[in-house]
Amino acid sequence: MPENLTPDWSSEFEHYKKLSRQVVTNEDIINFFNKNQKAFYLDSFSSSWSRMMEAYEVKESLSLDQLNKLEEMQWQEMPDSLKLFAYDFCIKNGFCFTGTSS
């Protein structure tokens, strides 16, 4: 199902940005990841999830087979190292999130 930009698109960014301000520990990051899958896909213009997966593949020296297995996993079953990396890449340093007001 294609995601269309809705009028509340920017308010969704604000919602997740506010939630992300409460994230402090690695446990917080993992909980945020597990509960807020949509936050990692809001930045569809720059394909941040795809770029993050490419960067994670390089960082972890993953084979194509290992990468495919990761992408087939259920969201909450993904390894913690990926959750931490994805949060840093997509949320903490994500283009759209850094562009929203503080």
Side-chain angles (χ1 to χ4, degrees):
M1 180 167 86
E3 281 198 22
N4 296 322
L5 290 179
T6 57
D8 63 346
W9 179 72
S10 64
S11 67
E12 288 189 67
F13 278 115
E14 290 300 330
H15 168 73
Y16 291 118
K17 184 147 182 120
K18 282 180 188 163
L19 287 177
S20 73
R21 286 192 198 110
Q22 299 165 12
V23 171
V24 179
T25 66
N26 284 351
E27 186 178 345
D28 293 340
I29 291 172
I30 291 165
N31 287 332
F32 181 94
F33 184 97
N34 288 342
K35 294 176 182 173
N36 300 291
Q37 181 174 359
K38 189 173 184 182
F40 294 86
Y41 291 96
L42 286 175
D43 191 2
S44 58
F45 293 111
S46 66
S47 306
S48 61
W49 181 261
S50 300
R51 290 182 312 133
M52 181 282 300
M53 286 300 284
E54 290 168 8
Y56 185 75
E57 175 187 11
V58 171
K59 178 185 176 283
E60 297 293 323
S61 303
L62 301 176
S63 67
L64 189 56
D65 189 48
Q66 290 171 309
L67 187 63
N68 288 337
K69 283 181 181 162
L70 268 182
E71 290 178 341
E72 291 170 6
M73 286 181 151
Q74 293 297 316
W75 188 255
Q76 294 187 6
E77 293 171 0
M78 290 183 171
D80 289 349
S81 61
L82 174 64
K83 295 175 183 184
L84 298 172
F85 188 85
Y87 181 86
D88 193 55
F89 193 100
C90 297
I91 307 299
K92 189 175 177 189
N93 299 305
F95 169 74
C96 286
F97 284 95
T98 56
T100 54
S101 62
S102 306

